[in-house]
């Protein structure tokens, strides 16, 4: 794809779930999650879920939501509810097709996360980075957090090199 002008991030809707789940199955073979994870994240935090709409199909998606503390959700784990007093915005996943990688789409998604965090008066964005994405997240200003022992088990549910990263919300 050479013309990215019609490719835009937009709010995810329930009608996007099937295509999003199919895309996740293709892009995240090493980190599979059940369909219910996508449905629940959208239901709990619609303001944090987006799809990257291309001219013919979805080219990516993002799931994010308010969170509290450094004990994050393990891979493929339902939340059931969000914390009553969040202290950060949690970026669960950004996934992009090969066709749009390197075109600034991830940075635009991060801007959407920052907007959501600011709207909720949260000054920190956190995420778990897998081994393959650590370099990308470091370039985006995310740094490793001190993690409690319980978080080590969560990180291991992703891979042995996964890290909890955070950065302040740009004002």
């Amino acid at each position: 794809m050479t013309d990215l002008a019609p490719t835009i991030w937009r709010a995810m809707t329930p009608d996007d779930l099937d295509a999003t789940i199919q895309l996740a199955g293709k892009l995240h073979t090493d980190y599979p999650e059940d369909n219910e994870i996508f449905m629940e994240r959208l239901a709990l935090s619609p303001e944090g879920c987006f799809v990257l709409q291309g001219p013919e199909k979805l080219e990516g998606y993002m799931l994010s939501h308010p969170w509290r503390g450094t004990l994050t959700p393990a891979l493929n784990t339902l939340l059931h509810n969000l914390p009553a007093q969040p202290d950060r915005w949690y970026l669960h996943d950004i996934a992009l097709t090969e066709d749009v990688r390197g075109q600034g789409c991830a940075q635009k998604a991060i801007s959407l996360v920052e907007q959501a965090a600011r709207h909720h008066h949260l000054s920190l964005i956190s995420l778990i980075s897998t081994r393959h994405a650590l370099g990308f997240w470091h370039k985006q200003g995310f740094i490793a957090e001190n993690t409690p022992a319980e978080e080590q088990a969560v990180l291991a549910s992703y891979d042995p090199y996964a890290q909890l990263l955070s950065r302040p919300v740009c004002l």
Side-chain angles (χ1 to χ4, degrees), residues 90-152:
Y90 184 73
L91 178 49
H92 177 80
D93 194 9
I94 294 178
L96 302 171
T97 65
E98 282 291 327
D99 291 341
V100 297
R101 289 184 190 161
Q103 304 298 316
C105 297
Q107 288 82 2
K108 289 177 186 171
I110 294 167
S111 294
L112 293 169
V113 169
E114 287 183 333
Q115 288 174 21
R118 279 194 295 275
H119 178 76
H120 287 267
H121 308 289
L122 301 172
S123 60
L124 193 65
I125 299 170
S126 295
L127 58 91
I128 291 178
S129 176
T130 60
R131 66 181 175 258
H132 302 298
L134 282 168
F136 170 80
W137 291 115
H138 288 162
K139 288 178 186 173
Q140 306 309 310
F142 287 83
I143 59 171
E145 283 226 27
N146 292 327
T147 55
E150 304 95 319
E151 179 68 7
Q152 296 305 317

Coordinates of all heavy atoms in Angstrom, one line a residue, residues 90-152:
Y90 N -3.5 2.1 30.5 CA -2.8 0.9 30.1 C -3.0 0.6 28.6 O -4.1 0.4 28.2 CB -3.2 -0.3 30.9 CG -2.5 -1.6 30.7 CD1 -1.2 -1.7 31.1 CD2 -3.1 -2.6 29.9 CE1 -0.5 -2.9 30.8 CE2 -2.4 -3.8 29.7 CZ -1.1 -3.9 30.1 OH -0.4 -5.1 29.8
L91 N -1.9 0.5 27.9 CA -2.0 0.2 26.4 C -1.8 -1.3 26.3 O -0.7 -1.9 26.4 CB -0.8 0.9 25.7 CG -0.7 0.7 24.2 CD1 -2.0 0.8 23.5 CD2 0.3 1.7 23.7
H92 N -2.9 -2.0 26.1 CA -2.9 -3.5 26.0 C -2.2 -4.0 24.7 O -1.5 -4.9 24.7 CB -4.3 -4.0 26.1 CG -4.4 -5.5 26.0 ND1 -4.2 -6.3 27.0 CD2 -4.8 -6.3 24.9 CE1 -4.3 -7.6 26.6 NE2 -4.7 -7.6 25.3
D93 N -2.5 -3.3 23.6 CA -2.0 -3.8 22.3 C -2.2 -2.8 21.2 O -3.2 -2.1 21.1 CB -2.8 -5.1 22.0 CG -2.1 -5.9 20.9 OD1 -1.0 -5.6 20.5 OD2 -2.8 -6.9 20.4
I94 N -1.1 -2.7 20.4 CA -1.2 -2.0 19.1 C -0.7 -3.1 18.1 O 0.4 -3.6 18.3 CB -0.4 -0.8 19.0 CG1 -0.8 0.3 19.9 CG2 -0.3 -0.3 17.5 CD1 0.0 1.6 19.9
A95 N -1.5 -3.3 17.1 CA -1.1 -4.3 16.1 C -1.3 -3.7 14.7 O -2.4 -3.1 14.5 CB -1.9 -5.6 16.2
L96 N -0.3 -3.8 13.8 CA -0.4 -3.2 12.5 C 0.0 -4.2 11.5 O 0.9 -5.0 11.7 CB 0.5 -2.0 12.4 CG 0.3 -0.8 13.4 CD1 1.5 0.1 13.2 CD2 -1.0 -0.2 13.1
T97 N -0.6 -4.2 10.3 CA -0.2 -5.1 9.2 C 1.1 -4.6 8.7 O 1.5 -3.4 8.9 CB -1.2 -5.1 8.1 OG1 -1.3 -3.8 7.5 CG2 -2.6 -5.5 8.6
E98 N 1.8 -5.4 8.0 CA 3.1 -5.1 7.3 C 2.9 -3.9 6.4 O 3.8 -3.1 6.3 CB 3.7 -6.3 6.5 CG 4.3 -7.3 7.4 CD 5.6 -6.8 8.0 OE1 6.4 -6.0 7.4 OE2 5.9 -7.3 9.1
D99 N 1.8 -3.8 5.7 CA 1.5 -2.7 4.7 C 1.6 -1.3 5.3 O 1.9 -0.4 4.6 CB 0.1 -2.9 4.1 CG 0.1 -4.1 3.2 OD1 1.1 -4.6 2.8 OD2 -1.1 -4.6 2.9
V100 N 1.3 -1.2 6.6 CA 1.3 0.2 7.2 C 2.4 0.4 8.2 O 2.6 1.5 8.7 CB -0.1 0.5 7.8 CG1 -1.2 0.5 6.8 CG2 -0.4 -0.4 9.0
R101 N 3.2 -0.6 8.5 CA 4.3 -0.4 9.5 C 5.3 0.6 8.9 O 5.6 0.6 7.7 CB 5.0 -1.7 9.8 CG 4.1 -2.6 10.6 CD 4.8 -3.9 11.1 NE 3.7 -4.7 11.7 CZ 3.9 -6.0 11.8 NH1 5.0 -6.6 11.4 NH2 2.9 -6.7 12.3
G102 N 5.9 1.4 9.8 CA 6.9 2.4 9.4 C 6.3 3.6 8.8 O 7.0 4.5 8.3
Q103 N 5.0 3.8 8.9 CA 4.3 5.0 8.3 C 3.8 6.0 9.3 O 3.0 6.9 9.0 CB 3.1 4.5 7.4 CG 3.5 3.5 6.3 CD 4.5 4.1 5.3 OE1 4.3 5.2 4.9 NE2 5.5 3.3 5.0
G104 N 4.2 5.8 10.6 CA 3.7 6.7 11.6 C 2.4 6.3 12.2 O 1.9 7.1 13.1
C105 N 1.8 5.2 11.9 CA 0.5 4.8 12.4 C 0.6 4.5 13.9 O -0.4 4.8 14.6 CB -0.1 3.6 11.6 SG -0.4 4.0 9.9
A106 N 1.6 3.9 14.3 CA 1.8 3.6 15.8 C 1.9 4.9 16.6 O 1.3 5.0 17.7 CB 2.9 2.7 16.0
Q107 N 2.6 5.9 16.1 CA 2.7 7.1 16.8 C 1.4 7.8 16.9 O 1.1 8.4 17.9 CB 3.8 8.0 16.1 CG 5.2 7.6 16.3 CD 5.6 6.5 15.3 OE1 4.8 6.1 14.5 NE2 6.8 6.0 15.5
K108 N 0.6 7.7 15.8 CA -0.8 8.3 15.9 C -1.6 7.6 16.9 O -2.4 8.2 17.6 CB -1.4 8.3 14.5 CG -0.8 9.3 13.5 CD -1.4 9.2 12.2 CE -0.6 10.0 11.2 NZ -1.0 9.8 9.8
A109 N -1.5 6.3 17.0 CA -2.2 5.5 18.0 C -1.8 5.9 19.4 O -2.6 6.1 20.3 CB -2.0 4.0 17.8
I110 N -0.5 6.1 19.6 CA 0.0 6.6 20.9 C -0.6 7.9 21.3 O -0.9 8.2 22.4 CB 1.5 6.6 21.0 CG1 2.1 5.2 20.8 CG2 2.1 7.3 22.2 CD1 3.6 5.1 20.5
S111 N -0.7 8.8 20.3 CA -1.4 10.1 20.5 C -2.8 9.9 21.0 O -3.3 10.7 21.9 CB -1.4 11.0 19.3 OG -0.1 11.3 18.9
L112 N -3.5 8.9 20.4 CA -4.9 8.7 20.9 C -4.9 8.2 22.3 O -5.8 8.5 23.1 CB -5.5 7.6 20.0 CG -5.8 8.1 18.5 CD1 -6.2 6.9 17.7 CD2 -6.9 9.2 18.5
V113 N -3.9 7.4 22.7 CA -3.8 6.9 24.1 C -3.6 8.1 25.0 O -4.2 8.2 26.1 CB -2.7 5.8 24.2 CG1 -2.4 5.5 25.6 CG2 -3.1 4.6 23.5
E114 N -2.7 9.0 24.6 CA -2.4 10.2 25.4 C -3.7 11.0 25.6 O -3.9 11.5 26.7 CB -1.3 11.0 24.8 CG 0.1 10.4 24.9 CD 1.2 11.2 24.4 OE1 0.9 12.0 23.5 OE2 2.3 11.1 24.9
Q115 N -4.4 11.2 24.5 CA -5.7 11.9 24.7 C -6.6 11.3 25.7 O -7.2 12.0 26.5 CB -6.4 12.0 23.3 CG -5.7 12.9 22.3 CD -6.4 12.9 20.9 OE1 -7.5 12.5 20.8 NE2 -5.6 13.2 19.9
A116 N -6.8 9.9 25.6 CA -7.6 9.2 26.5 C -7.1 9.4 28.0 O -7.9 9.7 28.9 CB -7.7 7.8 26.2
A117 N -5.8 9.3 28.2 CA -5.2 9.4 29.5 C -5.5 10.9 30.0 O -5.9 11.0 31.2 CB -3.7 9.1 29.5
R118 N -5.3 11.9 29.2 CA -5.5 13.2 29.6 C -7.0 13.4 30.0 O -7.3 14.1 31.0 CB -5.1 14.2 28.5 CG -3.6 14.5 28.5 CD -3.3 15.7 27.7 NE -3.5 15.5 26.3 CZ -2.7 15.0 25.4 NH1 -1.6 14.5 25.8 NH2 -3.1 14.8 24.1
H119 N -7.9 12.9 29.2 CA -9.3 13.0 29.4 C -9.7 12.4 30.8 O -10.6 13.0 31.5 CB -10.1 12.3 28.3 CG -11.6 12.4 28.5 ND1 -12.3 13.5 28.2 CD2 -12.4 11.4 28.9 CE1 -13.6 13.3 28.5 NE2 -13.7 12.0 29.0
H120 N -9.0 11.4 31.2 CA -9.2 10.8 32.5 C -8.3 11.3 33.6 O -8.3 10.7 34.7 CB -9.1 9.2 32.4 CG -10.2 8.6 31.6 ND1 -11.3 8.1 32.2 CD2 -10.4 8.4 30.3 CE1 -12.2 7.6 31.3 NE2 -11.7 7.8 30.1
H121 N -7.6 12.3 33.3 CA -6.6 13.0 34.3 C -5.6 12.0 34.8 O -5.3 12.0 36.0 CB -7.4 13.6 35.4 CG -8.5 14.5 34.9 ND1 -8.3 15.7 34.4 CD2 -9.9 14.4 34.9 CE1 -9.4 16.3 34.0 NE2 -10.4 15.5 34.3
L122 N -5.1 11.2 33.9 CA -4.0 10.2 34.2 C -2.7 10.7 33.6 O -2.7 11.0 32.4 CB -4.4 8.8 33.8 CG -5.7 8.3 34.3 CD1 -6.1 7.0 33.6 CD2 -5.6 8.1 35.8
S123 N -1.7 10.7 34.4 CA -0.4 11.3 33.9 C 0.6 10.2 33.5 O 1.8 10.6 33.2 CB 0.2 12.1 35.0 OG 0.4 11.3 36.2
L124 N 0.2 9.0 33.4 CA 1.2 7.9 33.0 C 0.5 6.9 32.1 O -0.7 6.6 32.2 CB 1.6 7.2 34.3 CG 2.8 6.2 34.2 CD1 4.1 7.0 33.9 CD2 2.9 5.5 35.6
I125 N 1.3 6.5 31.1 CA 0.9 5.4 30.2 C 1.8 4.2 30.4 O 3.0 4.4 30.5 CB 1.0 5.8 28.7 CG1 0.1 7.0 28.4 CG2 0.7 4.6 27.8 CD1 0.3 7.6 27.0
S126 N 1.2 3.0 30.6 CA 2.0 1.8 30.8 C 1.6 0.8 29.8 O 0.5 0.8 29.3 CB 1.8 1.3 32.2 OG 2.2 2.2 33.2
L127 N 2.6 -0.2 29.6 CA 2.3 -1.3 28.7 C 3.3 -2.4 29.0 O 4.3 -2.1 29.6 CB 2.5 -0.8 27.2 CG 3.8 -0.2 26.8 CD1 4.8 -1.2 26.3 CD2 3.6 0.9 25.7
I128 N 3.0 -3.5 28.5 CA 4.0 -4.6 28.5 C 4.5 -4.7 27.1 O 3.8 -4.9 26.2 CB 3.4 -6.0 29.0 CG1 3.0 -5.9 30.4 CG2 4.3 -7.1 28.7 CD1 2.3 -7.1 31.0
S129 N 5.8 -4.7 27.0 CA 6.5 -4.8 25.7 C 7.0 -6.3 25.6 O 7.7 -6.7 26.6 CB 7.6 -3.8 25.5 OG 8.3 -4.1 24.3
T130 N 6.8 -6.9 24.5 CA 7.4 -8.2 24.2 C 8.8 -8.0 23.7 O 9.2 -6.9 23.4 CB 6.5 -9.0 23.2 OG1 6.5 -8.2 22.0 CG2 5.1 -9.2 23.7
R131 N 9.5 -9.0 23.7 CA 11.0 -8.9 23.2 C 11.1 -8.3 21.9 O 12.1 -7.5 21.7 CB 11.6 -10.3 23.2 CG 11.0 -11.3 22.2 CD 11.6 -12.7 22.2 NE 11.0 -13.5 21.3 CZ 10.1 -14.4 21.7 NH1 9.8 -14.6 22.9 NH2 9.5 -15.2 20.8
H132 N 10.2 -8.5 21.0 CA 10.3 -8.0 19.6 C 10.1 -6.5 19.5 O 10.6 -5.9 18.6 CB 9.4 -8.7 18.7 CG 9.6 -10.2 18.6 ND1 10.7 -10.8 18.2 CD2 8.7 -11.2 19.0 CE1 10.6 -12.1 18.3 NE2 9.4 -12.4 18.8
A133 N 9.4 -5.9 20.5 CA 9.0 -4.5 20.4 C 9.8 -3.6 21.3 O 9.5 -2.4 21.3 CB 7.5 -4.4 20.6
L134 N 10.7 -4.1 22.1 CA 11.3 -3.3 23.1 C 12.0 -2.0 22.5 O 11.9 -0.9 23.0 CB 12.3 -4.1 23.9 CG 11.8 -5.0 25.0 CD1 12.8 -5.9 25.5 CD2 11.2 -4.1 26.1
G135 N 12.7 -2.2 21.4 CA 13.4 -1.1 20.8 C 12.4 0.0 20.3 O 12.7 1.2 20.5
F136 N 11.3 -0.4 19.7 CA 10.3 0.5 19.3 C 9.8 1.3 20.5 O 9.8 2.6 20.4 CB 9.1 -0.2 18.6 CG 8.0 0.8 18.4 CD1 8.0 1.6 17.3 CD2 6.9 0.8 19.2 CE1 7.0 2.5 17.1 CE2 5.9 1.7 19.0 CZ 5.9 2.5 17.9
W137 N 9.4 0.7 21.6 CA 8.9 1.4 22.7 C 9.9 2.3 23.4 O 9.5 3.4 23.8 CB 8.2 0.4 23.7 CG 7.0 -0.2 23.2 CD1 6.9 -1.6 22.9 CD2 5.8 0.4 22.8 NE1 5.6 -1.8 22.3 CE2 5.0 -0.6 22.2 CE3 5.4 1.7 22.8 CZ2 3.7 -0.3 21.8 CZ3 4.1 2.0 22.3 CH2 3.3 1.0 21.8
H138 N 11.1 1.9 23.4 CA 12.2 2.7 24.0 C 12.3 4.0 23.2 O 12.5 5.1 23.7 CB 13.5 2.0 24.1 CG 13.5 1.0 25.2 ND1 14.4 0.0 25.3 CD2 12.7 0.8 26.3 CE1 14.2 -0.8 26.3 NE2 13.1 -0.3 26.9
K139 N 12.2 3.9 21.8 CA 12.3 5.1 21.0 C 11.1 6.0 21.2 O 11.2 7.2 20.9 CB 12.4 4.6 19.5 CG 13.7 4.0 19.1 CD 13.6 3.6 17.6 CE 14.9 2.9 17.3 NZ 14.8 2.3 15.9
Q140 N 10.0 5.5 21.7 CA 8.8 6.3 22.0 C 8.9 6.9 23.4 O 7.9 7.5 23.8 CB 7.5 5.5 21.8 CG 7.4 4.7 20.5 CD 7.6 5.6 19.3 OE1 7.0 6.7 19.2 NE2 8.4 5.2 18.4
G141 N 10.0 6.7 24.1 CA 10.1 7.3 25.4 C 9.7 6.5 26.6 O 9.7 7.0 27.7
F142 N 9.3 5.2 26.3 CA 8.9 4.3 27.4 C 10.2 3.7 28.1 O 11.1 3.4 27.4 CB 8.0 3.2 26.9 CG 6.7 3.7 26.6 CD1 6.4 4.3 25.3 CD2 5.6 3.6 27.5 CE1 5.1 4.7 25.0 CE2 4.3 4.0 27.2 CZ 4.1 4.6 25.9
I143 N 10.1 3.7 29.4 CA 11.3 3.1 30.2 C 10.7 2.0 31.1 O 9.6 2.0 31.5 CB 12.1 4.2 30.9 CG1 11.2 4.9 31.9 CG2 12.7 5.1 30.0 CD1 11.9 5.8 32.8
A144 N 11.6 1.1 31.5 CA 11.2 0.0 32.4 C 10.8 0.5 33.7 O 11.5 1.4 34.3 CB 12.4 -1.0 32.5
E145 N 9.8 -0.1 34.3 CA 9.3 0.2 35.6 C 9.9 -0.8 36.6 O 10.2 -1.9 36.2 CB 7.8 0.1 35.7 CG 7.1 1.3 35.2 CD 6.0 1.7 36.1 OE1 6.0 1.6 37.3 OE2 5.0 2.3 35.5
N146 N 10.1 -0.4 37.8 CA 10.4 -1.4 38.9 C 9.2 -2.2 39.1 O 8.1 -1.7 39.3 CB 10.8 -0.7 40.2 CG 12.1 0.1 40.1 OD1 13.0 -0.4 39.4 ND2 12.2 1.2 40.7
T147 N 9.3 -3.5 39.0 CA 8.2 -4.4 39.0 C 8.2 -5.3 40.3 O 9.2 -5.8 40.6 CB 8.1 -5.3 37.8 OG1 9.3 -6.0 37.6 CG2 7.8 -4.5 36.5
P148 N 7.0 -5.4 40.9 CA 7.0 -6.3 42.0 C 7.1 -7.8 41.6 O 6.9 -8.1 40.4 CB 5.6 -6.0 42.6 CG 4.8 -5.5 41.5 CD 5.8 -4.8 40.6
A149 N 7.4 -8.6 42.5 CA 7.6 -10.1 42.2 C 6.4 -10.6 41.5 O 6.5 -11.4 40.6 CB 7.9 -10.8 43.5
E150 N 5.2 -10.2 41.9 CA 3.9 -10.8 41.3 C 3.9 -10.4 39.8 O 3.3 -11.2 39.0 CB 2.7 -10.2 41.9 CG 2.6 -10.5 43.4 CD 3.1 -9.3 44.3 OE1 4.1 -8.7 43.9 OE2 2.5 -9.0 45.3
E151 N 4.4 -9.2 39.4 CA 4.4 -8.8 38.0 C 5.3 -9.7 37.2 O 5.1 -9.9 36.0 CB 4.8 -7.3 37.9 CG 4.8 -6.8 36.5 CD 3.5 -6.7 35.8 OE1 2.4 -7.0 36.5 OE2 3.4 -6.4 34.6
Q152 N 6.4 -10.3 37.8 CA 7.3 -11.1 37.0 C 6.5 -12.3 36.4 O 6.8 -12.7 35.2 CB 8.4 -11.6 37.9 CG 9.3 -10.5 38.4 CD 9.9 -9.7 37.2 OE1 10.3 -10.2 36.2 NE2 9.9 -8.3 37.4

